[in-house]
Amino acid sequence: MVQSYSKNANHNMRRPVVKEEVVRYMRTRQKGNEGYLAELEAFAHRENIPIIPQETVAYFRFLMQTMQPKKILEIGTAIGFSALLMAENAPQSKITTIDRNEEMIGFAKENFAKYDSRNQIRLLEGDAADILSRLKETYDFVFMDSAKSKYIVFLPEVLERLAVGGVVVLDDVFQGGDIARPIEEVRRGQRTIYRGLQRLFDATLKHPNLTATLVPLGDGLLMIRKNIPEIKLAD
Ligand SMILES: C[S@@+](CC[C@H](N)C(=O)[O-])C[C@H]1O[C@@H](n2cnc3c(N)ncnc32)[C@H](O)[C@@H]1O
């Protein structure tokens, strides 16, 4: 049994930010996962491991096939589900993915050995806080899916390594809708994340040199396009 996630994990995934029946409709009407991705999805659900939900999968499939990024960076590998999904739909891409949880790293290694048939994925083990500054490459797509309070901390390093015209997607930015409420109405244990996300939105949504959009899929995506080489984020 997986130790890292309890049955109470993924609290916000059970608080849909759009009507429940619409989420259900999207999940049943859109193409689902097939083959090993369906197996990994079933495993993740059984063990409460948070992976991107079905409607985000459909969107990523579309994005990858349309953008065909060559260099992808992911922060938050878990069992390797989203990395394998991106690899499958952007077959020319090379993907660097980072995780610090030993148990997840064990599953990801096993899954990449079995299913990364084109050898597209490189797994870096450790905290993104230490690893990001050592990355020398430039990426055209970055998927940030790690601790949400740290998004604003990691973003400057990520933007430095992003090509002009490149896109960053940050997952789970709505906190099940809490983000739209005053802080006094947010559970105390969730307030650090709330503050981190508000800082992230302040720094990006109306930035003159970024194009940003909020997309209500899953628990919300923030998507950012880098428009000029040097981006300075307000503190
Ligand atoms: C939501 S899961 C990733 C799910 C995966 N992207 C998917 O959809 O298949 C988040 C992962 O981020 C990792 N993580 C969180 N903070 C991190 C950090 N600072 N550095 C590296 N990994 C981190 C956790 O260990 C966890 O495995």
Side-chain angles (χ1 to χ4, degrees):
M1 201 175 123
V2 172
Q3 304 298 316
S4 302
Y5 294 98
S6 73
K7 66 175 172 23
N8 297 319
N10 318 345
H11 170 66
N12 285 331
M13 294 313 290
R14 291 189 295 273
R15 300 163 69 208
V17 298
V18 296
K19 282 184 192 165
E20 215 155 350
E21 72 238 43
V22 177
V23 175
R24 220 174 9 249
Y25 188 78
M26 285 194 286
R27 288 184 186 172
T28 46
R29 292 295 302 222
Q30 298 187 103
K31 197 189 283 174
N33 289 303
E34 290 171 359
Y36 66 86
L37 287 174
E39 282 171 34
L40 296 184
E41 179 191 35
F43 173 78
H45 289 171
R46 211 164 47 238
E47 300 291 348
N48 292 304
I49 298 165
I51 61 166
I52 51 171
Q54 176 50 38
E55 61 278 18
T56 309
V57 168
Y59 187 56
F60 264 51
R61 213 185 270 135
F62 182 90
L63 267 186
M64 289 295 119
Q65 290 181 17
T66 307
M67 291 177 66
Q68 289 298 332
K70 296 282 179 298
K71 290 262 180 71
I72 298 175
L73 173 65
E74 177 180 67
I75 307 176
T77 318
I79 62 171
F81 174 81
S82 52
L84 285 162
L85 173 78
M86 292 191 283
E88 190 169 298
N89 288 283
Q92 312 298 324
S93 65
K94 289 285 180 199
I95 302 175
T96 300
T97 182
I98 305 172
D99 209 293
R100 65 178 176 192
N101 177 311
E102 279 183 26
E103 192 181 27
M104 292 301 118
I105 288 168
F107 287 121
K109 278 183 174 169
E110 228 174 84
N111 292 330
F112 294 154
K114 273 199 256 177
Y115 305 125
D116 177 24
S117 53
R118 282 181 291 260
N119 260 321
Q120 292 170 260
I121 304 172
R122 176 173 68 132
L123 173 63
L124 301 181
E125 301 172 34
D127 199 308
D130 307 319
I131 292 177
L132 278 176
S133 63
R134 300 204 298 264
L135 298 176
K136 298 278 176 280
E137 287 172 298
T138 301
Y139 301 92
D140 34 31
F141 187 88
V142 181
F143 181 38
M144 296 176 70
D145 192 16
S146 55
K148 294 179 269 278
S149 59
K150 288 286 160 62
Y151 285 165
I152 184 62
V153 179
F154 295 159
L155 190 63
E157 300 256 33
V158 165
L159 287 173
E160 265 178 46
R161 285 155 186 80
L162 187 71
V164 172
V167 169
V168 188
V169 176
L170 300 99
D171 197 19
D172 299 324
V173 295
F174 284 164
Q175 285 193 294
D178 281 355
I179 204 69
R181 302 201 175 95
I183 193 161
E184 302 74 43
E185 291 178 21
V186 177
R187 283 195 299 173
R188 283 186 188 278
Q190 295 289 311
R191 289 186 186 172
T192 305
I193 296 174
Y194 177 94
R195 287 195 195 92
L197 289 172
Q198 298 291 359
R199 276 179 61 209
L200 174 73
F201 292 161
D202 290 345
T204 57
L205 289 178
K206 294 182 182 168
H207 194 289
N209 304 120
L210 300 171
T211 305
T213 177
L214 288 166
V215 184
L217 285 172
D219 191 35
L221 303 176
L222 168 62
M223 299 181 66
I224 299 170
R225 181 186 191 274
K226 173 175 167 174
N227 296 336
I228 63 164
E230 298 283 323
I231 301 288
K232 214 177 143 16
L233 295 180
D235 299 322

